[in-house]
Structures are given as structure tokens and as C-alpha cells.
Amino acid sequence: MMEDAAELCERRNAPVFTDFLDEEKQGIAISVMNQFHANYMLFGGYDDAERCMLGVFPPYDEPDTELFPMDAVTVEFRHADELNHRSVLGTLMAQGIERSCIGDILIESGRCVFFCRNTVTRALLNDIRTMGGTGVKLTEGCQEPLPAAHKFKELTDTIASARLDCMVASLANIGRSEAERKITAGEVLVNSVQCKKVSQTVHEGEKITVRGEGKFIIDEIGPLTRKGRLMLSARKYI
């Protein structure tokens, strides 16, 4: 799919877009695009989106988020009612919409914003009146600020070095040998890309996903403690 997008963009000399990709597929997309030396962008409707479309652009074009074939849809409901991610996604898929056509779903009291491929927007607006038994009103577009996408748990620790195996052991609260096993088994992603090198240096701002343990963002590495260890500040997505 990613190779096809790159080749089609080259043949047409026009942007080509995939459906929404999860984090693992985004990692594959990054690897493939780098192999093709492609001009690309991953975008999910807002900064730090989890599910993103891959856009491949002609070499001399500036990637443009406005060109991505997606819409934001706002769902309004009574503050006394509740909606959760499962009920929203279940309602959307019950309309015959494939999961790959649906991006992130952001929910707060009285409002939900989700992103979808623009080819399905009109049908959803026309057909949906309830979600999970709750009466709703759907409109195209959204207002800033969006509902909070994530909640975090703050983490602090000291680590021997900024190597990936040390970082994974600390973040996942597992032994160093188990961290090494997970890395070499392909169970660790750095910025959505699988990394099997235990000695790779981790930098501030990078995101680390440990299969079965969660996803983390590295906020600060250092300074050194009196014992020569590095202070680590990070957050776990919850």
C-alpha cells in the first residue's frame, strides 16, 4: 500500500493519500517512504494525532494539511449524558464504515470530535441520530480547542544511560534483560518505527511504545545525579 502510494504519486505527479493508519503501520510507512526518498507527511487532523493518513507529494511540492481527504465532525449531546470511545466507534462502523476510514475520536462532556475520510462524511451526517442510546447532533467541522486527546501519568526515575534498553526497563518497570528481549523481539517502537538496537540513544521529545506495557513520551533526560546517573522525566499515555 505504501509502495503503491509512492509509485502512484511519481506517475501522476500529484499528491496521493492512504486511509488512516495506526501507529505500527505509520512506522512501516516511515521506513518505506525513507527508502523511496519520498516527500511525505503523516497527518491525522491535529498535532499529535494517533491515527494518521499518509500523504505522498511530488518532490517540489510543500506537503499541505489542507489537501488531506479528511473531515472533522462534531457530535453534540446533553452534558447529563455520556459517550465513550466504544459507543462512538461502534455507531460509526454500524453504518458500514471501515475502521481505516475513521481517525481519532476525542470526547469531552457534551461534545465529541472525530475525524473521518471525506467520502463518508455526508452519509454519517445524514444517518446518525443516536450513539450508544444517547441522542446526538452531528455537524461538519469543529471548533478549537479540541477535546483533550490524551491523559498522562507523570514518571520520574534515574537511569544509567540514555540507551534504549535502560529507557525501556525504567519506563515499563521491568528488568534490563526483559527490556533487551522486548527490543530484539521487535516489541519496541521509537517514534512509531520498530527499533531492535538495544544501544540506540534515546532523545528528549521522542515517543517510545513498548508492546504490552504502554506508550511513553520522554520529557527530560538529565542532569546527572551525584552518583553519576541520569535523571529521567517522562509521561505515560493513559
Side-chain angles (χ1 to χ4, degrees):
M1 177 175 62
M2 288 72 168
E3 295 92 339
D4 292 343
E7 292 171 354
L8 190 58
C9 175
E10 184 176 1
R11 290 202 306 270
R12 292 180 176 177
N13 196 34
V16 175
F17 303 92
T18 68
D19 285 338
F20 288 95
L21 308 175
D22 61 21
E23 184 182 25
E24 187 169 352
K25 289 182 179 177
Q26 288 175 48
I28 296 171
I30 292 170
S31 297
V32 171
M33 291 300 103
N34 289 340
Q35 290 173 12
F36 275 81
H37 303 288
N39 181 25
Y40 73 95
M41 173 187 281
L42 290 164
F43 182 63
Y46 67 101
D47 292 341
D48 203 29
E50 289 191 358
R51 294 178 62 81
C52 294
M53 286 183 174
L54 168 68
V56 190
F57 298 82
Y60 302 107
D61 285 359
E62 186 72 23
D64 187 352
T65 59
E66 295 295 325
L67 297 178
F68 279 72
M70 71 175 72
D71 288 324
V73 175
T74 295
V75 182
E76 296 176 275
F77 54 97
R78 297 190 312 167
H79 288 274
D81 294 328
E82 291 187 5
L83 279 184
N84 56 42
H85 187 280
R86 177 179 292 183
S87 60
V88 175
L89 180 59
T91 300
L92 298 178
M93 296 187 68
Q95 306 302 309
I97 307 300
E98 294 186 4
R99 183 67 179 97
S100 60
C101 290
I102 304 169
D104 284 5
I105 298 171
L106 313 177
I107 303 176
E108 65 183 8
S109 177
R111 182 174 72 132
C112 165
V113 175
F114 67 85
F115 298 87
C116 62
R117 188 147 195 129
N118 58 12
T119 53
V120 305
T121 307
R122 186 53 50 192
L124 297 177
L125 295 176
N126 290 338
D127 295 343
I128 295 178
R129 297 292 179 269
T130 62
M131 288 182 165
T134 296
V136 297
K137 176 185 177 182
L138 273 63
T139 55
E140 186 175 346
C142 63
Q143 291 186 342
E144 300 283 352
L146 294 173
H150 307 291
K151 294 182 180 179
F152 298 95
K153 177 182 179 181
E154 301 286 340
L155 301 175
T156 58
D157 198 3
T158 62
I159 53 177
S161 78
R163 284 169 47 120
L164 183 58
D165 55 350
C166 294
M167 198 68 67
V168 169
S170 173
L171 296 173
N173 194 26
I174 57 178
R176 185 86 166 266
S177 59
E178 176 63 9
E180 292 177 358
R181 186 199 67 76
K182 284 183 174 291
I183 295 167
T184 56
E187 297 179 11
V188 174
L189 306 178
V190 178
N191 295 331
S192 301
V193 179
Q194 187 182 79
C195 180
K196 294 186 177 183
K197 185 178 180 182
V198 298
S199 61
Q200 176 165 314
T201 301
V202 176
H203 301 93
E204 293 177 357
E206 292 190 315
K207 296 175 184 176
I208 297 176
T209 302
V210 184
R211 192 167 297 161
E213 304 292 345
K215 182 177 178 181
F216 309 84
I217 184 167
I218 308 303
D219 290 322
E220 187 174 3
I221 303 172
L224 286 172
T225 68
R226 292 181 179 179
K227 295 184 178 181
R229 292 174 65 83
L230 286 168
M231 293 293 299
L232 171 65
S233 296
R235 285 170 290 159
K236 181 178 182 179
Y237 289 75
I238 57 176

